[in-house]
């Protein structure tokens, strides 16, 4: 798609999971906390087609129609016209639409349609020195940490997927509504810093645009909110693959559905260009930091060197314990 002399226009659709807790067990006696940023990167040239396919995948009638063309509307239409939210997959109709979207994601990769670019960054908070992000009494310190690594996620994802372009023009960054829109830095800081420090990146908006992920809500968008729902679903399933934080049958079902792509390939073998799933250069999951950075002076050369080399991809997927229980799991059940 293009060469080094071209410019590409993107929209970014973003969601987060802050402080996802790993439960204590006999392998990890100290709880660990993770923050996750998920980004759907959508080239403007394919956005209409991606939305069209997501909308059409909502039609789960016996004879599927393009979304909104059932006359009269089929008996599934009202239920399928719902917000797809990972946290609410215990609802049967939400799960059915979510499963159809994951089918589309897998089919997109296997057929090499090239419509879905996503990036997920997980931050291991147990290996960070929190004091470098503000005093412990600061209520919004969690968001300050998220703001810092959100900027990292924008930079790494755009350069990884679209670095071959002379200019990467991010038209708008859309983010699900939440506490971030009230943070003094988050709505504008990443855009300002990247826009002034990286010659390849350009921004059409000076601030993040916050949308309700429910396309039916007054603060939502009838088109773009579906893309926020899509990244929420991908992010939620990925986090559950890693943490197995929910054993709800629908959430497990969705996580297992996406695992052949995300767990077995993107996480375990991120550079396999021969995979039939065609994810290299389009989809990536990374974690940071591999080394505990709290022990180093932030101004030291050692800190800078470790910071650059501390991104990694492969780590334990706790969902696999449901299939292959460890000796410790057996001992705990006795």
């Amino acid at each position: 798609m293009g060469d080094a002399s071209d410019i590409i226009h993107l929209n970014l659709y973003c969601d987060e999971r802050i402080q996802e807790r790993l439960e204590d067990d006999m392998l990890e006696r100290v709880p660990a906390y993770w923050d996750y940023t998920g980004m759907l990167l959508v080239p403007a040239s394919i956005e209409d087609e991606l939305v069209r396919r997501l909308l059409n995948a909502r039609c789960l009638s016996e004879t599927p129609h393009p979304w909104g063309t059932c006359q009269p509307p089929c008996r599934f239409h009202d239920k399928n016209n719902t917000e797809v939210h990972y946290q609410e997959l215990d609802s049967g109709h939400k799960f059915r639409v979510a499963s159809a979207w994951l089918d589309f994601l897998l089919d997109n990769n296997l057929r090499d349609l090239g419509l879905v670019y996503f990036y997920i960054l997980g931050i291991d908070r147990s290996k960070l020195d929190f004091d470098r992000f503000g005093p412990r009494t600061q209520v919004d310190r969690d968001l300050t940490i998220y703001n810092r690594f959100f900027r990292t996620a924008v930079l790494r994802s755009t350069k990884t997927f679209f670095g071959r372009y002379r200019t990467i023009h991010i038209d708008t960054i859309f983010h699900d509504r939440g506490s971030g829109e009230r943070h003094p830095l988050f709505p504008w800081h990443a855009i300002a810093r990247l826009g002034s420090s990286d010659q390849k990146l350009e921004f059409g908006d000076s601030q993040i645009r916050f949308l309700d992920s429910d396309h039916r809500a007054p603060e939502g968008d009838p088109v773009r909110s579906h893309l926020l729902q899509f990244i929420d679903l991908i992010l939620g399933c990925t986090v559950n693959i890693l943490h197995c934080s929910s054993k709800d049958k629908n959430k497990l079902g969705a996580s297992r559905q996406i695992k052949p792509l995300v767990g077995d390939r993107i996480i375990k073998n991120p550079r396999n260009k021969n995979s039939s799933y065609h994810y290299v250069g389009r989809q990536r999951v990374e974690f940071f930091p591999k080394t505990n950075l709290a022990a180093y002076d932030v101004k030291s050369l050692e800190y800078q060197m470790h910071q650059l080399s501390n991104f990694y991809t492969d780590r334990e997927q706790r969902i696999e314990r449901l299939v292959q229980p460890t000796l410790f799991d057996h001992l705990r059940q006795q």
Side-chain angles (χ1 to χ4, degrees), residues 33-262:
Y33 292 87
W34 287 79
D35 292 350
Y36 290 91
T37 301
M39 295 184 173
L40 189 69
L41 299 93
V42 185
S45 60
I46 63 173
E47 184 162 290
D48 288 347
E49 179 64 11
L50 175 58
V51 172
R52 185 185 71 83
R53 289 177 179 265
L54 287 176
L55 287 175
N56 287 346
R58 285 181 177 272
C59 186
L60 302 178
S61 64
E62 292 86 347
T63 56
H65 297 77
W67 182 252
T69 64
C70 299
Q71 294 297 330
C74 69
R75 61 190 179 93
F76 297 97
H77 189 87
D78 288 342
K79 285 188 175 182
N80 293 351
N81 188 30
T82 184
E83 180 185 11
V84 177
H85 196 304
Y86 173 78
Q87 296 293 352
E88 299 172 0
L89 291 191
D90 50 345
S91 168
H93 59 281
K94 290 179 184 287
F95 170 69
R96 287 192 294 271
V97 176
S99 183
W101 276 9
L102 295 178
D103 280 342
F104 157 70
L105 171 62
L106 297 174
D107 184 59
N108 166 83
N109 281 44
L110 290 171
R111 292 171 55 197
D112 194 21
L113 298 176
L115 294 175
V116 182
Y117 295 80
F118 69 79
Y119 178 82
I120 293 172
L121 177 61
I123 303 300
D124 185 353
R125 294 165 63 95
S126 68
K127 295 179 181 176
L128 299 177
D129 183 352
F130 287 8
D131 290 338
R132 292 173 182 160
F133 298 92
R136 294 184 184 277
T137 56
Q138 184 175 319
V139 176
D140 59 0
R141 184 168 62 175
D142 288 346
L143 279 168
T144 299
I145 296 172
Y146 178 65
N147 176 66
R148 168 64 182 82
F149 289 104
F150 182 85
R151 185 168 81 243
T152 300
V154 171
L155 183 64
R156 288 185 70 85
S157 61
T158 53
K159 290 293 191 67
T160 297
F161 300 153
F162 306 106
R164 62 189 179 278
Y165 288 91
R166 174 179 51 82
T167 301
I168 303 170
H169 191 281
I170 300 175
D171 295 345
T172 304
I173 299 178
F174 297 93
H175 200 290
D176 195 6
R177 298 194 68 190
S179 54
E181 58 188 311
R182 299 184 295 275
H183 189 270
L185 295 178
F186 183 66
W188 62 271
H189 191 252
I191 294 174
R193 286 290 299 273
L194 291 173
S196 63
S197 63
D198 194 287
Q199 295 182 349
K200 189 181 284 284
L201 290 179
E202 294 180 352
F203 293 86
D205 285 342
S206 61
Q207 293 204 13
I208 293 170
R209 181 179 170 189
F210 294 92
L211 291 178
D212 195 312
S213 56
D214 190 340
H215 56 282
R216 305 161 303 176
E219 299 298 326
D221 184 283
V223 174
R224 300 186 187 278
S225 291
H226 296 279
L227 297 171
L228 287 175
Q229 294 172 40
F230 192 37
I231 189 58
D232 170 87
L233 176 64
I234 295 171
L235 177 61
C237 290
T238 299
V239 170
N240 203 36
I241 288 171
L242 293 163
H243 292 257
C244 203
S245 47
S246 175
K247 295 180 175 61
D248 171 78
K249 66 176 183 179
N250 288 347
K251 292 177 183 176
L252 281 176
S255 302
R256 284 170 167 156
Q257 187 176 348
I258 202 177
K259 188 177 182 299
L261 170 62
V262 173

